[in-house]
Amino acid sequence: VPAVVYHQLLPASAEVQADALIAGLDLEERAPAARPYTLVNFVATADGSASFQGRSGDIGDEGDRGIFHALRERVDAVLAGTGTLRTERYGRILGKAERRQRRLDAGRVPEPLACVITRTGELPLEIPLFAEPEARVVVFSPTPIWLGDVPAQTHLELYDPGVERPLTQIMRTLRQAHAVSSLLCEGGPSLLHSLLHEQLVDELFLTVAPKLSGGSTDPSITTGEPLPELAQMRIAWLLERNDSLYLRYRLVGASPRPGGRSR
Ligand SMILES: NC(=O)c1ccc[n+]([C@@H]2O[C@H](COP(=O)([O-])OP(=O)(O)OC[C@H]3O[C@@H](n4cnc5c(N)ncnc54)[C@H](OP(=O)(O)O)[C@@H]3O)[C@@H](O)[C@H]2O)c1
């Protein structure tokens, strides 16, 4: 019987910093013409819960937050559903002036565009994001919403929810009307479900926290009907810090790999 061989990754080798690793990612040149190159970032317990008692904040630690903020600093835009926005009480995308300055020094706008998607039009306008005059927010809604008196710079994009692939249409608008080549989706589970069903995800950054929720009243990183068949992924990297695992997966077949580059 042939031996089944594994790669032992831990105890491990090099020390790396999330900011440097993520700053060096090739993203924009991988973007197809009709949509941004799309990363999603989630944290889950070892038993698969994406929130605990309704929130995700207690699952991750400093290492997870390091990846979360480095990804935000790296991309053109950050997308979330209204459930995540409301529960996590989103503020401006890059709270730290140092991160905004690094982007300015690199010739970029200081902060990624914040993008929100809704079906009902019930936006949590009371969250700190909408109170931030420097925040640029694009809201995708099927029906007109009055956004006029919040301090944030808001822009409404209407989309047609009746088409077969509404998110594909939204992605095209982001790429072509807002020049978004790299997009980070921070969830939540129902938005990730829709993105996966329209095959719009290129990479999944998943933190597996060394914690157990011990139950299933909270969602996993996706909710809703499963895909017709399993989506396949490959591991691009695996980091460890204080017993948390930081996985970066690429979805197989999501978008072309230009020039066979490895990052
Ligand atoms: N562990 C993690 O990394 C992580 C990340 C994010 C969120 N979470 C957790 O997930 C929970 C929230 O889950 P959720 O599934 O409600 O979050 P969600 O996907 O952010 O929000 C759902 C809402 O977003 C809008 N939406 C989602 N998909 C849409 C689509 N395809 N088209 C149009 N609108 C769409 C709808 O808004 P309307 O209702 O306005 O129509 C929908 O009700 C919270 O407990 C949060 O803490 C965990």
Side-chain angles (χ1 to χ4, degrees), residues 8-239:
Q8 181 172 318
L9 302 176
L10 288 170
S13 46
E15 290 196 343
V16 291
Q17 289 190 358
D19 277 329
L21 263 185
I22 289 170
L25 295 180
D26 285 343
L27 304 178
E28 290 76 14
E29 54 265 53
R30 291 170 170 267
R35 66 172 179 83
Y37 191 74
T38 302
L39 316 177
V40 299
N41 183 31
F42 275 86
V43 59
T45 63
D47 54 352
S49 292
S51 58
F52 184 65
Q53 297 174 354
R55 295 205 49 183
S56 63
D58 289 342
I59 300 178
D61 65 2
E62 190 186 27
D64 178 58
R65 288 188 285 278
I67 304 250
F68 178 92
H69 292 296
L71 285 170
R72 283 184 163 198
E73 182 180 333
R74 176 64 189 79
V75 294
D76 292 337
V78 173
L79 169 71
T82 54
T84 299
L85 230 57
R86 187 177 286 113
T87 320
E88 307 295 335
R89 288 195 58 78
Y90 269 40
R92 67 188 298 171
I93 300 295
L94 290 181
K96 282 212 160 59
E98 180 191 327
R99 292 192 180 274
R100 299 196 296 272
Q101 189 60 47
R102 274 203 295 259
R103 284 176 59 110
L104 275 173
D105 292 346
R108 311 184 72 190
V109 291
E111 257 175 303
L113 187 66
C115 308
V116 183
I117 178 166
T118 176
R119 284 192 196 92
T120 61
E122 286 169 25
L123 288 186
L125 289 174
E126 71 290 354
I127 60 172
L129 175 68
F130 290 104
E132 173 50 60
E134 288 179 30
R136 295 172 305 126
V137 188
V138 178
V139 175
F140 289 93
S141 168
T143 48
I145 312 174
W146 169 246
L147 295 167
D149 51 8
V150 294
Q153 304 161 45
T154 54
H155 177 88
L156 180 68
E157 287 282 2
L158 293 177
Y159 72 91
D160 181 355
V163 298
E164 198 184 335
R165 295 171 157 262
L167 280 169
T168 302
Q169 176 196 329
I170 285 167
M171 290 293 190
R172 187 176 301 113
T173 305
L174 278 177
R175 179 90 161 102
Q176 294 174 354
H178 296 277
V180 174
S181 298
S182 53
L183 176 71
L184 170 65
C185 175
E186 295 183 337
S190 51
L191 181 53
L192 177 57
H193 171 264
S194 305
L195 289 172
L196 287 171
H197 279 255
E198 294 191 35
Q199 291 178 291
L200 295 170
V201 178
D202 294 295
E203 300 194 11
L204 168 65
F205 285 74
L206 177 66
T207 299
V208 180
K211 298 173 185 172
L212 296 167
S213 73
S216 61
T217 51
D218 286 292
S220 80
I221 69 167
T222 54
T223 51
E225 280 295 303
L227 293 166
E229 43 187 78
L230 291 168
Q232 302 288 332
M233 304 193 292
R234 303 202 60 147
I235 294 181
W237 74 42
L238 169 57
L239 315 177

